[in-house]
Amino acid sequence: MSGKFQHIINNQALFTALRRDLHQHPEIGLEELRTSSIVADKLRSWGYQVHRGMAKTGVVGTLKVGHGGKTLGLRADMDALPMQEQTGKSWSSRTAGKFHGCGHDGHTATLLCAAEYLAKTQNFRGTLHLIFQPGEELLYGGKLMLEDGLFQQFPCDAIYALHNMPGLKKGHFYFKTGAMMASSDTLHIEVSGKGGHGAFPEKSVDATLVACQIVLALQTVVSRNVSPFSPAVVTVGSLCSGEAPNIINASAMLKLSVRALDNKVRQQLLKRIGDIAHGQAQSFGAKVNIDHINGSPVLINDPAATEFAINVARELVGESRVCTNTAPVMGSEDFAFMLTENPHGSYLFLGAGDEPERCMVHHPGYDFNDELIVPGAMFFSHLAERFLN
């Protein structure tokens, strides 16, 4: 099979250089102006019809070969993270506080590598839509593309995406039917009490105390309200209230991350959190306001689409390098929005290497493994040729 894709193998250095250039110039969600221009220019030069502007910086490249046939969507994310890189690589980020710490530079380069091959060979009959999405780390860039009419303008019979994953064997493909990644909801709970002097607590309603009670009560949600067989996470990542030791604070802010692998459990969690926060506040004479900052649904892979992708991977790398029952993860991915609107699709992991020293994504020492560009591009290419023939 590798002989068929010798052109991709020969281009490894070219797209590695592109990936490292993107890495040096990271752009965070909905600000991917340089990145999207590079993507659009390259697609256009290869003969794709290019549409820009969805979700501000999104790019869709379309290639039609022959008449009729099916339509396939392949998606890559483009955005970086607002964090400082500590890899020490010669191609490190040149922008302080911004860093491709999740490998979206590699995902973009991988899909572009496949795009160049597919345009050159045109070994299919049908329509190919390549979707380069901004703002995945915000967990709503995909939603914005849908709101801008992604599947109305570019309907797809099936959609696919992949993500590199450190900790998994390099070059192995990992699939999961059904729920593969968790929903994610960010909540801000503002507690309003009555401030006062620390020496006269009886004349105040201590928002800090109320916030602490809410934090403790929230620990019962997963342990007592959700079935032990349903994975769920309620994390209070931030509690902010005042600075001085002798002031009783009138307000406090809690910031929560809430995750589930079932959309019904997700709704159960959100309702229970609201009930607890309001109930605890009322018992102390305080009030709360809950702001749902953003949320994405559970990522659910279609069985038929997943089985098709599994067979493509088996043909490409053999049975021993394909895992068909990957354990789901509590991390989240806004490709879930696309799969919710168009459920005929699947999301997979491409192992980045399981060496002890290899950093996980979102770690300041992480860097995309450039050896994944070729197998990732070969997979996308073989998937497109098989699906569109």
Side-chain angles (χ1 to χ4, degrees):
M1 182 64 72
S2 60
K4 174 185 176 182
F5 296 112
Q6 189 61 46
H7 181 74
I8 290 176
I9 296 171
N10 293 342
N11 276 341
Q12 180 170 6
L14 176 67
F15 285 95
T16 295
L18 172 63
R19 198 287 295 184
R20 294 179 180 182
D21 175 75
L22 295 175
H23 190 91
Q24 288 180 307
H25 302 91
E27 297 171 301
I28 60 175
L30 309 185
E31 297 178 4
E32 305 93 337
L33 298 174
R34 180 183 185 272
T35 304
S36 62
S37 291
I38 291 172
V39 168
D41 289 346
K42 290 192 176 300
L43 291 175
R44 197 175 289 114
S45 72
W46 299 328
Y48 287 81
Q49 293 181 330
V50 175
H51 178 94
R52 302 185 65 180
M54 282 191 176
K56 296 185 179 180
T57 52
V59 180
V60 180
T62 298
L63 183 65
K64 296 182 179 180
V65 178
H67 300 284
K70 294 187 290 185
T71 303
L72 176 68
L74 301 177
R75 173 269 204 178
D77 36 21
M78 301 187 294
D79 57 323
L81 286 160
M83 61 184 291
Q84 187 65 38
E85 180 172 2
Q86 298 177 9
T87 65
K89 301 285 182 67
S90 61
W91 54 86
S92 293
S93 170
R94 295 179 179 178
T95 306
K98 296 180 182 180
F99 163 46
H100 268 295
C102 200
H104 298 182
D105 50 346
H107 301 163
T108 298
T110 298
L111 188 53
L112 284 174
C113 183
E116 195 271 346
Y117 165 85
L118 290 165
K120 181 179 179 65
T121 57
Q122 297 193 10
N123 186 27
F124 63 88
R125 293 294 178 267
T127 301
L128 177 66
H129 295 310
L130 303 183
I131 303 164
F132 292 85
Q133 182 207 306
E136 189 281 326
E137 296 293 356
L138 302 175
L139 284 180
Y140 60 81
K143 181 181 180 182
L144 293 179
M145 291 194 81
L146 294 173
E147 291 174 351
D148 284 347
L150 176 63
F151 291 139
Q152 285 72 45
Q153 295 186 50
F154 307 100
C156 298
D157 293 313
I159 53 172
Y160 290 90
L162 63 76
H163 200 295
N164 80 99
M165 188 56 67
L168 300 180
K169 292 184 180 300
K170 184 177 68 178
H172 289 224
F173 291 83
Y174 294 82
F175 299 89
K176 171 70 176 176
T177 296
M180 186 174 189
M181 299 189 74
S183 62
S184 177
D185 291 279
T186 298
L187 304 178
H188 289 182
I189 302 177
E190 184 178 9
V191 181
S192 298
K194 180 180 178 183
H197 196 293
F200 306 101
E202 74 279 5
K203 297 181 179 181
S204 305
V205 176
D206 189 346
T208 305
L209 174 63
V210 177
C212 290
Q213 293 294 329
I214 292 173
V215 172
L216 291 175
L218 289 177
Q219 307 312 304
T220 67
V221 175
V222 174
S223 66
R224 291 296 177 268
N225 300 130
V226 177
S227 167
F229 300 102
S230 297
V233 173
V234 177
T235 295
V236 181
S238 174
L239 194 168
C240 297
S241 181
E243 296 179 2
N246 61 343
I247 295 176
I248 292 177
N249 298 297
S251 64
M253 175 67 76
L254 303 173
K255 297 181 179 180
L256 282 67
S257 178
V258 183
R259 300 171 188 265
L261 280 172
D262 181 281
N263 282 316
K264 291 183 179 179
V265 174
R266 178 193 182 195
Q267 295 305 317
Q268 180 186 14
L269 293 174
L270 295 176
K271 182 181 185 304
R272 189 66 186 130
I273 289 168
D275 291 344
I276 286 175
H278 285 289
Q280 289 290 322
Q282 185 178 21
S283 71
F284 288 94
K287 296 180 179 180
V288 296
N289 180 68
I290 302 177
D291 190 5
H292 187 237
I293 302 301
N294 67 288
S296 62
V298 179
L299 187 149
I300 300 175
N301 287 329
D302 174 68
T306 303
E307 184 63 26
F308 182 85
I310 288 171
N311 289 332
V312 167
R314 283 172 172 159
E315 291 172 4
L316 188 67
V317 298
E319 182 77 35
S320 64
R321 299 172 74 89
V322 176
C323 176
T324 62
N325 191 28
T326 304
V329 298
M330 297 307 289
S332 303
E333 160 65 71
D334 80 346
F335 188 62
F337 284 112
M338 296 187 185
L339 287 174
T340 298
E341 184 161 327
N342 184 352
H344 304 293
S346 192
Y347 184 87
L348 62 134
F349 294 143
L350 177 55
D354 55 357
E355 309 93 323
E357 66 275 14
R358 186 167 295 281
C359 294
M360 181 51 71
V361 294
H362 291 224
H363 186 284
Y366 165 86
D367 187 31
F368 180 82
N369 187 343
D370 289 316
E371 294 181 28
L372 302 185
I373 293 175
V374 165
M378 289 168 61
F379 172 79
F380 275 144
S381 299
H382 192 42
L383 180 74
E385 291 176 344
R386 287 272 278 101
F387 187 86
L388 297 175
N389 280 322

